[in-house]
Amino acid sequence: MPATARRQLDTTEDSVMSQGMQQSILDNNRLLDTLEFPVPAGELSRLSPLRSVISTASSFAVFHQAQQDIEISYQRIGFGQCGLVFAKPGRGFVVKVARPYFSDGLWEDFLSHLRLFRALSLHKNMECRIPRVYSYVSKDNEAWWDINQALLPPNSDFPLPSVALITERILPLPKVIRHALIDRFCPEGLREAAKSSPLNNDCLARIYLGRRRRPDAPPAPNFSLRNFNFCLDQMFELGLPVEEYARVMAGCLAIIHWQARMDGYDIEFVLGSDAEISYTTHITQSIGLDVEQLEQLPKHSDIEVLQRVNFQRRATRLWVLDFNLCNRFPMDDAFILKHEEELVNQLVLAFFENDPYYPLPLMEINVDKQLWSIFRNEYERKAGEILGTSKALSHLPVKFLDACVERERRKLEKGLGHGHRDFKE
């Protein structure tokens, strides 16, 4: 199916809403009338289910909506092992620029990202999102760097040009959720400063279903919402749908392993937003021009590039990202069977060496045990759906899960604690 057709399907699916979802959106809009006031945890839980849409008049949304017609410099919004991430206010894309000596890592990120995007696109009801890939720019692309290099913030320790990966932007969580996180988890004396800090506007929450905070842990002295580590006990405290997160994460991991044939090493699962980029509104609304203005455009104008990102309608999503350390396996079943033991060992290694996104086996608390059961059942179900026509590999998903349980048992017997990582602290 052509890429343009896939984009139409992807976006129009979001517009088909049940009456229950429509009512949920109406309820959300009523709640947003209290944007400037603390949001009780019970109310926050109604704003956070996957796919819920929030209409917001926050400063972030209004500012970014206004910037769409202005040529403006990029702003640094994040960083990773292999690069820095820049965005233009009002634009629905980000540019990840490779650090010195990490160009090869960004290329691997690009290739693995493409492979997983293709795999996820085969599962139209998959609720975990992956950013669209728009372009890859070499350091020798003089035309691109001549236009864009001057727009990037000056950084004497970061020589340009480099190589760059351009993908869809994962928008931060809406203001109402950001402020609820601050009200609940930020030390009281830092709350107002945290709410007013522009750095906290770029809030993506890492969903740590495999970690609880220590009961005796002191409050963080430097509270930040940028790459917020959202632990399981915090999610329970706010009444968030952790079972749904576990189910969606498990389905995505099964697709990574058995559809994309990747180990998922060092990937991230975050809770963020996406703006409404859709073919569900009339063209005059989506590009902000009336019929008379459209008639004055040059013949064969590219209307697609004029489509506006509506930053003031935001949907909460679970996203998967960062693929530069993923190992890709051949798609050939014979290769997988020949290297079965090495493959399963690598999948187990990647499972535990990642940050603690996944629920863990052999936990003591009943709700944690239930989360692992949900995760395991959904992983098995989705993997079975994928491998239904490949009977030779059908035993491998269970073999992987059993190996995870056995590894956890050995580590616990050695007194190393839950989710011990051999190569990371």
Side-chain angles (χ1 to χ4, degrees):
M1 182 181 294
T4 52
R6 282 201 303 273
R7 288 185 64 192
Q8 287 179 330
L9 286 173
D10 290 344
T11 51
T12 53
E13 282 175 355
D14 291 342
S15 69
V16 181
M17 296 186 296
S18 65
Q19 290 183 348
M21 187 179 293
Q22 292 174 357
Q23 184 58 49
S24 176
I25 293 170
L26 292 174
D27 291 342
N28 288 344
N29 291 338
R30 294 191 193 100
L31 289 172
L32 286 162
D33 289 339
T34 63
L35 268 175
E36 300 304 324
F37 300 92
V39 181
E43 300 290 2
L44 177 64
S45 68
R46 298 168 60 191
L47 292 172
S48 56
L50 306 181
R51 304 176 308 283
S52 63
V53 179
I54 296 178
S55 297
T56 174
S58 72
S59 57
F60 174 92
V62 173
F63 173 73
H64 281 258
Q65 194 73 30
Q67 298 305 308
Q68 292 197 56
D69 297 323
I70 301 173
E71 189 60 49
I72 194 169
S73 296
Y74 290 93
Q75 298 176 353
R76 176 176 161 178
I77 63 167
F79 62 91
Q81 181 191 49
C82 67
L84 302 182
V85 182
F86 300 96
K88 277 188 177 184
R91 303 297 191 271
F93 66 90
V94 294
V95 180
K96 191 176 194 177
V97 182
R99 297 176 185 271
Y101 311 111
F102 279 90
S103 296
D104 289 349
L106 194 62
W107 180 252
E108 290 301 312
D109 193 347
F110 170 61
L111 295 180
S112 294
H113 195 147
L114 284 177
R115 185 186 280 204
L116 182 54
F117 186 92
R118 179 182 62 184
L120 285 171
S121 71
L122 299 175
H123 300 265
K124 295 302 181 184
N125 295 322
M126 187 63 205
E127 295 168 356
C128 188
R129 295 289 299 273
I130 180 173
R132 294 177 176 90
V133 181
Y134 293 140
S135 189
Y136 187 90
V137 182
S138 78
K139 66 184 302 181
D140 300 321
N141 187 333
E142 294 181 2
W144 193 90
W145 284 106
D146 283 347
I147 295 172
N148 290 278
Q149 183 168 348
L151 299 176
L152 293 172
N155 188 332
S156 58
D157 298 326
F158 200 85
L160 295 174
S162 181
V163 296
L165 176 61
I166 303 174
T167 63
E168 177 183 4
R169 182 177 184 183
I170 304 174
L171 294 179
L173 289 170
K175 175 182 176 182
V176 62
I177 297 179
R178 300 197 306 267
H179 281 199
L181 293 174
I182 291 170
D183 287 335
R184 183 56 66 99
F185 302 120
C186 180
E188 185 173 359
L190 302 177
R191 287 175 190 168
E192 290 308 312
K195 289 179 180 180
S196 61
S197 171
L199 294 178
N200 284 330
N201 291 341
D202 298 317
C203 172
L204 300 178
R206 293 170 171 154
I207 300 298
Y208 283 176
L209 298 182
R211 175 182 292 173
R212 290 174 177 267
R213 294 172 300 171
R214 297 198 324 268
D216 58 344
N222 299 310
F223 182 87
S224 174
L225 286 181
R226 182 173 281 188
N227 294 326
F228 181 71
N229 295 335
F230 208 179
C231 295
L232 182 60
D233 62 295
Q234 294 172 302
M235 288 183 261
F236 276 128
E237 189 174 329
L238 295 178
L240 299 187
V242 293
E243 293 184 356
E244 185 176 5
Y245 298 161
R247 180 181 56 78
V248 173
M249 206 178 285
C252 184
L253 187 62
I255 293 171
I256 291 170
H257 286 170
W258 308 113
Q259 193 91 61
R261 303 289 171 94
M262 293 161 43
D263 64 356
Y265 193 98
D266 210 42
I267 61 174
E268 295 190 25
F269 288 93
V270 301
L271 200 62
S273 304
D274 65 357
E276 183 180 39
I277 312 173
S278 71
Y279 297 111
T280 60
T281 56
H282 192 272
I283 189 171
T284 55
Q285 295 173 303
S286 63
I287 67 174
L289 299 178
D290 59 28
V291 174
E292 289 73 24
Q293 290 171 313
L294 284 169
E295 290 175 350
Q296 300 304 313
L297 291 175
K299 184 182 292 186
H300 305 304
S301 292
D302 193 339
I303 301 300
E304 178 67 19
V305 301
L306 299 177
Q307 296 284 349
R308 290 171 180 260
V309 177
N310 186 351
F311 285 94
Q312 292 182 276
R313 281 184 61 79
R314 311 252 290 281
T316 304
R317 306 281 191 185
L318 189 64
W319 295 80
V320 60
L321 68 154
D322 280 358
F323 312 104
N324 60 293
L325 292 181
C326 286
N327 293 289
R328 299 184 302 277
F329 308 116
M331 306 301 285
D332 179 31
D333 287 3
F335 176 91
I336 300 296
L337 289 172
K338 182 179 179 180
H339 301 277
E340 178 178 321
E341 293 302 324
E342 299 99 308
L343 171 67
V344 170
N345 289 339
Q346 181 61 33
L347 297 185
V348 172
L349 175 69
F351 181 90
F352 284 99
E353 289 300 317
N354 272 16
D355 283 359
Y357 297 105
Y358 312 117
L360 293 172
L362 304 180
M363 299 296 286
E364 292 80 18
I365 302 175
N366 285 335
V367 290
D368 294 27
K369 293 178 181 178
Q370 180 67 17
L371 271 189
W372 169 253
S373 178
I374 291 169
F375 182 90
R376 175 167 188 147
N377 290 342
E378 180 60 18
Y379 180 93
E380 286 188 38
R381 186 199 69 78
K382 194 67 179 180
E385 174 187 308
I386 295 166
L387 297 174
T389 59
S390 181
K391 301 297 183 183
L393 304 183
S394 60
H395 65 291
L396 290 180
V398 172
K399 186 172 183 176
F400 157 69
L401 291 166
D402 288 345
C404 288
V405 175
E406 182 56 32
R407 182 196 185 279
E408 184 76 347
R409 179 178 288 109
R410 292 197 308 270
K411 298 298 181 182
L412 291 174
E413 288 173 353
K414 293 179 180 180
L416 296 174
H418 285 290
H420 176 78
R421 301 199 284 184
D422 290 332
F423 302 105
K424 299 179 183 178
E425 294 184 358

